[in-house]
Amino acid sequence: MSSPLWDKGNAEIDARIMRFCAGEDVVLDRQLFLYDIQASKAHVRGLERIELLSEEERDSLLEGLDALAGEFERGEFVLDERFEDGHSAIEAYLTDKLGDVGRKVHTGRSRNDQVLVASRLYLRDTLDELAKHCKRAAEICLERAANDDVPMPGYTHLQRAVPSSTGMWFAAFAEAFIDNARLAKHTRTFVDSNPLGTAAGYGVNLPLDRDGVTDELDFERVQLSPIYAQNSRGKFELQALMALGQALLDVRRLAWDLSLFTTREFSFVELPDRFTTGSSIMPNKRNPDVVELLRASYGVVQGAMAELQSLLSLSSGYHRDLQASKPPVLRAMTRGLDALAIVSELLGALEFDAERMAEAIEPEMYATDRAVELARDGVPFREAYRQVAGAWDELASRTPQQSLDARTSPGGAADLRLDVLRERLANL
């Protein structure tokens, strides 16, 4: 490992202790490295604007940072055990290429605000990706609700209750994913503040151009208080995970439905082979592994939130404990977004067995509709409830479509209102 940034030249470096302190940072920073470089370029331009760098020094540093980004993307520069973290790798690279000019890149900043701004840029992009995946899932659901609407049983307590339809099922998840996309966008606004320029949590005695750097990095606002900038680490990440978790809770419910519907006992849904795997011992099996792993994806986010919440019982200011917030956040965001990327494809590929679902709708499932009809005609509802109970033979002539038409027609309480959902989606 290269000498740490804090080494004044006379420190006794214990390699074992250094490895413990660095942890996974240099590997994890591979996901944040280009954001760190992006913020470093903005910082360099800001230093030139306050005349701490000459135009020539600025241009040399910017060229060096661009070269580093290119080498990293091509795999020619690797973040590995040579470096304590990505931040030290940037300074080491620039110093090696530019000498004393490279050593100026860290002027006016700390690794504390450096990791904050890289993480903030990362969170913005991941929340954009979250919103994109949720919008795509909603689009597929709306399309299928409109074009693939066939009767199916509706369940309460996992017992057959009333007639429902695939359109109602898809519309439910369309509305859920629209809300999730909206939440992702609101959360992006919540985290969209620039902490760069707050240094180690108490600022520096330089007139840093924080507004200019904020504009260049396209942040909505400056995070004004240096102390709050440090105190917000973990807090903002936790909110982003909560937005991701809300979407994955709906994915979990979706996956549970499909786990049931694909069983032989239900046989409502068939999954294409690419979403299943075979058994290593039972030749007759095709297992819905993708659906089951989608169902498990929320657990990764829930675990990450628990890790963050356990870390945030700290006093004001920076603590090294906060380094431990990075692994769960990156792990959960990566896994959660990978899961959501599959959801739209899965929703578009589902094949429903209309005949099987219609057979599962029994006469007694029309009882609620009949009781409501009697109440509409003036019979007190509780009396209507009693009249209908057990009188299943009277309901045998009804069809699922008749029941659905009565409840989902325009103005009905279960009207799918796909036009309204499309408008909400378009306004995101």
Side-chain angles (χ1 to χ4, degrees):
M1 181 183 292
S2 59
S3 295
L5 295 180
W6 46 264
D7 181 16
K8 295 183 283 291
N10 58 356
E12 181 180 344
I13 305 297
D14 185 313
R16 179 175 58 88
I17 298 299
M18 284 293 296
R19 283 195 301 271
F20 175 76
C21 289
E24 306 170 75
D25 246 27
V26 74
V27 174
L28 295 170
D29 280 353
R30 294 170 187 171
Q31 290 182 256
L32 301 176
F33 197 55
L34 292 176
Y35 296 110
D36 205 345
I37 292 173
Q38 178 188 357
S40 294
K41 291 171 65 177
H43 181 66
V44 164
R45 292 190 182 97
L47 291 178
E48 186 273 329
R49 287 194 293 272
I50 63 171
E51 300 181 350
L52 283 180
L53 293 175
S54 67
E55 291 185 6
E56 183 179 358
E57 289 172 326
R58 176 201 63 194
D59 292 344
S60 294
L61 286 168
L62 293 176
E63 289 173 10
L65 288 164
D66 283 338
L68 175 57
E71 290 180 27
F72 177 75
E73 290 180 303
R74 294 189 297 271
E76 298 166 8
F77 182 90
V78 179
L79 282 177
D80 55 27
E81 66 278 357
R82 293 172 297 163
F83 307 105
E84 188 178 3
D85 51 35
H87 319 307
S88 58
I90 291 173
E91 188 166 341
Y93 178 91
L94 293 174
T95 300
D96 180 61
K97 299 293 184 182
L98 304 175
D100 284 345
V101 173
R103 294 185 177 92
K104 293 186 177 184
V105 72
H106 205 61
T107 305
R109 69 176 180 177
S110 166
R111 286 187 297 180
N112 296 346
D113 63 340
Q114 201 171 344
V115 68
L116 272 172
V117 69
S119 298
R120 207 64 56 82
L121 293 169
Y122 168 81
L123 289 179
R124 286 196 325 193
D125 278 1
T126 54
L127 288 164
D128 284 342
E129 190 174 351
L130 171 59
K132 179 190 74 174
H133 288 317
C134 290
K135 288 173 68 175
R136 182 56 184 153
E139 289 169 356
I140 296 293
C141 286
L142 286 173
E143 180 181 341
R144 297 211 62 178
N147 299 316
D148 301 305
D149 189 14
V150 295
M152 69 183 298
Y155 292 84
T156 66
H157 308 276
L158 283 178
Q159 309 296 315
R160 293 174 183 174
V162 294
S164 182
S165 72
T166 54
M168 293 181 70
W169 188 81
F170 277 116
F173 285 105
E175 188 168 3
F177 283 117
I178 289 169
D179 280 350
N180 293 330
R182 180 180 290 112
L183 179 59
K185 287 180 171 291
H186 288 329
T187 305
R188 189 195 194 279
T189 299
F190 176 76
V191 306
D192 196 15
S193 62
N194 176 26
L196 189 59
T198 59
Y202 298 94
V204 291
N205 52 334
L206 290 171
L208 295 174
D209 182 14
R210 298 197 65 209
D211 289 332
V213 170
T214 296
D215 290 341
E216 182 173 343
L217 294 175
D218 199 28
F219 280 107
E220 182 190 64
R221 63 192 185 279
V222 177
Q223 195 162 24
L224 298 173
S225 167
I227 295 176
Y228 178 53
Q230 292 304 318
N231 291 354
S232 68
R233 186 175 179 186
K235 173 182 175 177
F236 281 26
E237 287 84 346
L238 184 60
Q239 194 63 37
L241 288 177
M242 287 179 177
L244 175 62
Q246 288 290 333
L248 291 177
L249 281 172
D250 287 314
V251 170
R252 184 165 72 176
R253 193 180 294 269
L254 168 71
W256 255 120
D257 285 355
L258 294 178
S259 294
L260 293 171
F261 295 164
T262 55
T263 62
R264 184 68 60 86
E265 287 72 19
F266 279 77
S267 294
F268 291 171
V269 172
E270 184 174 346
L271 296 175
D273 282 349
R274 68 182 182 276
F275 294 105
T276 66
T277 65
S279 167
S280 65
I281 190 172
M282 294 172 284
N284 58 306
K285 290 294 298 299
R286 292 296 295 183
N287 301 316
D289 285 6
V290 171
V291 168
E292 292 171 348
L293 289 172
L294 287 174
R295 193 172 62 197
S297 59
Y298 176 75
V300 180
V301 177
Q302 186 178 37
M305 289 192 292
E307 286 189 61
L308 257 65
Q309 288 165 336
S310 72
L311 287 172
L312 297 182
S313 56
L314 298 168
S315 60
S316 293
Y318 176 74
H319 302 267
R320 191 65 180 261
D321 311 50
L322 291 169
Q323 177 179 306
S325 67
K326 195 183 296 183
V329 171
L330 295 176
R331 180 178 67 247
M333 282 293 183
T334 300
R335 185 62 176 177
L337 292 174
D338 284 349
L340 283 162
I342 293 173
V343 168
S344 296
E345 184 181 355
L346 175 64
L347 286 166
L350 298 177
E351 298 176 10
F352 286 85
D353 188 331
E355 184 177 350
R356 172 74 176 179
M357 293 188 299
E359 290 173 353
I361 299 176
E362 302 161 325
E364 56 262 38
M365 295 173 67
Y366 305 118
T368 302
D369 290 339
R370 180 56 183 153
V372 171
E373 290 168 0
L374 291 171
R376 186 184 59 202
D377 293 337
V379 179
F381 179 77
R382 194 51 55 202
E383 177 59 29
Y385 179 96
R386 293 189 182 97
Q387 287 184 28
V388 173
W392 312 142
D393 291 345
E394 300 176 19
L395 307 175
S397 62
R398 294 185 176 233
T399 67
Q401 197 60 55
Q402 288 172 334
S403 175
L404 292 168
D405 288 345
R407 286 183 283 118
T408 62
S409 59
D415 183 0
L416 300 187
R417 301 295 299 278
L418 299 184
D419 56 333
V420 175
L421 293 178
R422 290 191 189 97
E423 183 179 359
R424 290 180 187 175
L425 181 62
N427 289 333
L428 284 173

